[in-house]
Amino acid sequence: MSLFARIFILNAAVVAVAALLLLFTPVTVSPQARLAEALIVLAGMAAMLVTNAVLLRVGLRPLARLTRVMTTVDLLRPGTRLAVRGRGEAAALIVAFNNMLDRLEMERATSAARALSAQEAERHRVAQELHDEIGQTLTAVLLELKRVADTAPPPVRDQLRQAQESTRNSLDEIRRIARRLRPGVLEELGLASALRALATEFSTAGLSVRRQVGSDLPQLSREAELVVYRVAQEGLTNAARHAKARTVELRLREEAGGVELCVKDDGRGLGGAPEGAGIRGMRERALLIGAGLSVESPGKGTEVRLHVPIGVPA
């Protein structure tokens, strides 16, 4: 039955009931309506309107449910679907909406996978160029400064030593940026060693990082290890730059048939602010490997949890 037919039948039923009441009840209206008759007519009209409103509310309830889901759905939190009840145009509309969400989530996952793959490839290229080109050039400059400083007179030698120190600091900074862009330790030594090195790097930057990395963890795919590393890196970066935290806990352990990463700081928390590009980027990465991500502010600070199930293909 179409939506138009349902609404028409509901209204017709209300009008028919009112006509039957007028025909087969002793209710009459004088040529000049009395007060009692006017009250009866107004009460009957109010009852008709209330009955009509209730019936229409019941008939249009599926559309109201669909509207609520449409205003709250988020493609970064997939799986939201509306239950199909009954038949007719409303049920067909709900089915079409659920199918549209399936297509949108699949297309977003595909496009996000391509974008993140291209991003990782670009990071790899930039890190390689920083290490091979700029790093080698600065190393050559550093050696030349040392050679000149060894034969220069004392006043010039001090200035060359300062330039040598500045060049060495720049070289260390470039190497640090290259390591962040391309986590070579992740490819060479594995996830546990990469997280320990990441915690040590942020600890030397003025942030106290307490790490608890399990030694006997299930084997993860290469894509899953990269996602875990990037989420930990983003969590530590947010704690250092935005949360004004002093202490961060970094935990990686086996839990509930998978591996769980937890990054918890003692900073100022989210404070009801909308999610930024960093958190949405973490959600997109988690979706690519079928992992669950939660970002909460339990009292003080922020807690990022990533649960990676075992055996889910990337």
Side-chain angles (χ1 to χ4, degrees):
M1 186 181 298
S2 66
L3 186 61
F4 169 78
R6 293 173 63 184
I7 295 176
F8 178 78
I9 290 175
L10 290 176
N11 285 318
V14 173
V15 174
V17 170
L20 292 175
L21 290 176
L22 289 176
L23 288 175
F24 298 103
T25 57
V27 177
T28 59
V29 180
S30 303
Q32 292 183 353
R34 300 174 183 176
L35 179 60
E37 295 172 344
L39 292 177
I40 292 175
V41 171
L42 293 176
M45 183 181 297
M48 289 174 56
L49 293 176
V50 171
T51 304
N52 194 20
V54 172
L55 294 176
L56 287 177
R57 175 67 67 180
V58 173
L60 298 177
R61 185 173 295 170
L63 296 182
R65 291 190 294 118
L66 179 61
T67 302
R68 286 196 299 269
V69 173
M70 291 176 67
T71 55
T72 57
V73 69
D74 187 359
L75 295 180
L76 291 179
R77 297 177 176 86
T80 303
R81 298 295 183 271
L82 194 61
V84 182
R85 300 172 184 172
R87 300 177 180 176
E89 293 178 349
L93 182 61
I94 293 175
V95 171
F97 177 73
N98 290 338
N99 293 335
M100 182 191 68
L101 285 181
D102 292 337
R103 294 193 303 271
L104 288 177
E105 288 179 0
M106 184 177 299
E107 291 173 0
R108 182 179 181 87
T110 303
S111 61
R114 291 174 180 172
L116 292 176
S117 177
Q119 184 184 68
E120 290 297 333
E122 184 67 14
R123 284 182 172 183
H124 186 280
R125 185 188 65 82
V126 172
Q128 193 72 25
E129 291 185 358
L130 286 175
H131 182 273
D132 295 343
E133 302 295 334
I134 302 179
Q136 291 182 5
T137 301
L138 287 180
T139 302
V141 171
L142 194 61
L143 294 175
E144 185 66 20
L145 286 174
K146 183 179 182 303
R147 187 187 66 82
V148 175
D150 292 339
T151 59
V156 180
R157 185 182 306 167
D158 294 338
Q159 296 179 1
L160 290 174
R161 297 296 185 192
Q162 293 179 2
Q164 197 175 357
E165 187 65 25
S166 300
T167 305
R168 185 179 292 109
N169 293 335
S170 300
L171 183 59
D172 293 339
E173 181 68 17
I174 288 176
R175 288 173 177 171
R176 185 183 63 82
I177 294 174
R179 285 196 303 268
R180 286 195 176 186
L181 290 174
R182 178 183 174 230
V185 66
L186 178 63
E187 300 175 0
E188 298 169 1
L189 301 179
L191 179 60
S193 298
L195 289 181
R196 293 189 186 100
L198 186 66
T200 303
E201 179 182 346
F202 276 89
S203 297
T204 56
L207 189 67
S208 176
V209 181
R210 297 198 296 263
R211 64 177 186 267
Q212 299 177 11
V213 181
S215 57
D216 189 14
L217 295 174
Q219 185 67 30
L220 297 177
S221 64
R222 182 178 178 182
E223 293 81 3
E225 288 186 348
L226 182 59
V227 168
V228 173
Y229 181 85
R230 291 301 186 195
V231 170
Q233 187 180 44
E234 184 65 29
L236 291 174
T237 301
N238 289 339
R241 291 183 179 177
H242 308 299
K244 296 182 179 180
R246 295 189 229 175
T247 305
V248 181
E249 295 182 10
L250 175 65
R251 297 194 303 269
L252 182 68
R253 60 189 178 185
E254 183 180 1
E255 186 171 336
V259 174
E260 184 180 78
L261 171 73
C262 179
V263 182
K264 183 178 180 181
D265 63 65
D266 60 351
R268 59 185 180 182
L270 298 176
E275 293 184 353
I279 296 179
R280 298 185 69 85
M282 288 192 290
R283 293 194 184 279
E284 289 183 349
R285 289 183 181 275
L287 287 178
L288 294 181
I289 58 171
L293 180 77
S294 64
V295 182
E296 300 176 349
S297 291
K300 183 180 180 181
T302 304
E303 184 178 79
V304 179
R305 287 185 178 271
L306 176 72
H307 184 268
V308 183
I310 302 300
V312 177

